[in-house]
Amino acid sequence: LDLLANLDSVDAVVMDDRAANRHKAIADGAGREVAVASTLDVLDALRDRGGINFDDWVAARTELRRAGYVFVPFAKEELIAVVNDCGVENGELQESLQARTLRENLQLAQFSMLLQQPNETAWLAHNNRVVREAIVQLWSDAMDTTAVAARCSWLVELSRLDGFGAS
């Protein structure tokens, strides 16, 4: 059974496979090409078109991470929302479910040895850039510097590259 043998009535193929997702299109047996998308692309399109709100978008990304979907890129607005949702006690961030999921999912990517260099170098660079942007935004909006310092410290720890060895 070849599911991709005839793509005549298909506008896009949604596939969560990083080898397939490296390509912008896939062709059927007749050479007809259609776009390749991921679940993350679908969620982004739904958010951008008003099909889901921001909170539902963050919740869906959290559920994907909780289910073991690795290499989910960070989004600045997601990181800011997640850390702002966390409490701060004695200068330490108290992780919410979403914050813990971000951290644990990143650890899964680190310790599973799934990272393929140089293919995922862009993912690592993107995540570090987004963390830096989130930190800058948090400090520029800062009202409570103790809380922001704790949130930013947590983000700095999140951006560490320890454990991402060559595979």
Side-chain angles (χ1 to χ4, degrees), residues 81-150:
V82 167
V83 296
N84 279 337
D85 241 12
C86 296
V88 174
E89 290 182 24
N90 300 320
E92 295 287 326
L93 184 105
Q94 303 300 304
E95 285 184 330
S96 65
L97 173 65
Q98 290 171 326
R100 187 179 82 226
T101 300
L102 273 168
R103 181 181 49 76
E104 289 178 349
N105 185 262
L106 187 63
Q107 289 171 335
L108 175 63
Q110 286 175 314
F111 301 124
S112 66
M113 301 303 287
L114 291 172
L115 185 77
Q116 296 176 357
Q117 295 286 20
N119 295 335
E120 273 99 24
T121 301
W123 174 77
L124 285 171
H126 166 85
N127 282 351
N128 279 345
R129 179 182 51 79
V130 168
V131 167
R132 285 191 312 272
E133 290 172 359
I135 289 169
V136 168
Q137 184 71 48
L138 286 164
W139 277 112
S140 67
D141 296 342
M143 299 279 243
D144 177 353
T145 57
T146 301
V148 170

Side-chain angles (χ1 to χ4, degrees), residues 17 20 45-46 50 60 63 92 96 131 147 155 158 167:
D17 178 88
L46 286 169
E63 286 307 308
E92 295 287 326
S96 65
V131 167
L155 286 171
L158 189 69
S167 59

Side-chain angles (χ1 to χ4, degrees), residues 26 71 103 125:
I26 193 166
F71 305 118
R103 181 181 49 76

Side-chain angles (χ1 to χ4, degrees), residues 38-49:
S38 70
T39 300
L40 294 170
D41 296 325
V42 172
L43 288 172
D44 290 349
L46 286 169
R47 180 204 57 203
D48 294 345
R49 293 181 176 115

